[in-house]
Amino acid sequence: MPATVTKQAHANPGVSRAGSRDTDYAALLRAAQAGNQAAMERLLMKSQEIAYRFSLLVCGHADDADDAMQEALLKTYRHAAQIKDPGAFRTWLYRTVKNACLISRRRRVGEPARLHSLDGDSLSLDGVSQPLELEDPGRRPDQVLENTRLRRALDRALLSLPPESRLIVFLREVEGLSTRDVAAVVGISEANVKTRLHRARLSLRERLEAP
Amino acid sequence: MKTAAERQCRRLLEQLSRYIDGDLTAVERKAVAAHLRRCPCCRTMADSLKHTVELCHEAGAARLPADVTRRARARIASLLASDRSGRSRT
Ligand SMILES: [Zn+2]
């Protein structure tokens, strides 16, 4: 079991750093499979964090987030022990979260789409709580404000993309998956991921630049 | 009719994402860098595209709202507790 994972997990049991980018999921899974409780708790927290961001940024319905988080938590807990190839865990997790979010959407299929509530300054994608805070305590207040404005603009720009492009941008840019892993989660070729990603970036940029 | 310069800029635009991602060959990368040095228009475009990508990265590093994290922890605690009590019964 890699020493770094054990150390981090014990130093900060159950508490995970925000974001997915720097997490070594394979190492975390191996530790959890070996009976490391703190690693299992971190894994369960990670899967819920991913489900939350997915609900917010891909589905655009943060009030489904609790359902999606619960589903991702249970699936991760039930299946973590059976996964033979820890290297494949990350793509499994994103596929699972994708399905969990789709399931929680289907339960509310009779409801009208809530995208129209995204206009105006009272925008709260979450509906119930504040937008994601930037983990950057070192920044000056005016920068923080500017970033909050930009983040909201980004949330809005993301939701204006076609669903599959949004999913690709989410996996690649927000979550930091390799183009290969994105291709595996979405079920398209890597070349296709790159082309769509480029188009999506251009249209995101255009929307962010627009006054 | 498009000028040669316009065609060059169009071709560069197609390569920009791969340039940002470090996904070009050395020769391609050098050509893009040279074009960016002499074309302010494409330079602005490249900077703003890079900024868009960085903004997405920051969204992924954002902390979850405190109440969401609290509920997530409670869910984990209750799952592990129910599993433990289930196992101790059998
Ligand atoms: Zn140019």
Side-chain angles (χ1 to χ4, degrees), chain A residues 114-188:
Chain A
R114 231 158 296 139
L115 293 176
H116 61 263
S117 67
L118 294 178
D119 322 307
D121 277 332
S122 59
L123 169 79
S124 165
L125 281 175
D126 203 334
V128 279
S129 59
Q130 60 276 43
L132 299 174
E133 303 160 36
L134 286 181
E135 188 176 75
D136 200 352
R139 282 201 188 169
R140 298 200 318 269
D142 55 329
Q143 282 176 313
V144 172
L145 262 183
E146 173 64 4
N147 278 318
T148 305
R149 190 190 66 77
L150 277 171
R151 274 298 324 285
R152 289 185 175 198
L154 177 70
D155 292 350
R156 229 174 286 159
L158 267 175
L159 290 174
S160 74
L161 293 176
E164 199 178 69
S165 303
R166 199 189 306 160
L167 177 62
I168 291 170
V169 170
F170 174 77
L171 295 170
R172 175 75 181 125
E173 316 284 35
V174 179
E175 301 294 308
L177 266 68
S178 66
T179 47
R180 202 172 132 206
D181 283 352
V182 174
V185 174
V186 182
I188 58 176

Side-chain angles (χ1 to χ4, degrees), chain B residues 9 35 39 42:
Chain B
C9 293
H35 183 103
C39 180
C42 285

Side-chain angles (χ1 to χ4, degrees), chain A residues 6-102:
Chain A
T6 325
K7 223 163 129 192
Q8 276 173 10
H10 283 310
N12 216 358
V15 181
S16 51
R17 263 184 60 83
S20 221
R21 207 158 274 279
D22 304 323
T23 305
D24 185 345
Y25 286 91
L28 211 48
L29 177 68
R30 274 189 224 102
Q33 287 181 336
N36 181 330
Q37 177 84 2
M40 175 54 96
E41 287 179 18
R42 270 197 73 191
L43 213 53
L44 295 175
M45 185 54 91
K46 287 286 167 197
S47 67
Q48 292 186 84
E49 286 172 358
I50 292 169
Y52 179 79
R53 285 192 296 268
F54 195 103
S55 296
L56 206 71
L57 298 173
V58 182
C59 305
H61 295 273
D63 39 357
D64 291 346
D66 280 316
D67 287 348
M69 288 166 88
Q70 175 72 20
E71 185 83 11
L73 170 79
L74 289 178
K75 287 262 164 65
T76 303
Y77 190 62
R78 280 186 201 138
H79 295 281
Q82 299 151 23
I83 291 167
K84 297 278 187 293
D85 174 13
F89 175 70
R90 200 173 181 203
T91 52
W92 174 86
L93 183 55
Y94 280 95
R95 266 199 303 270
T96 301
V97 166
K98 188 178 83 171
N99 293 335
C101 289
L102 294 178

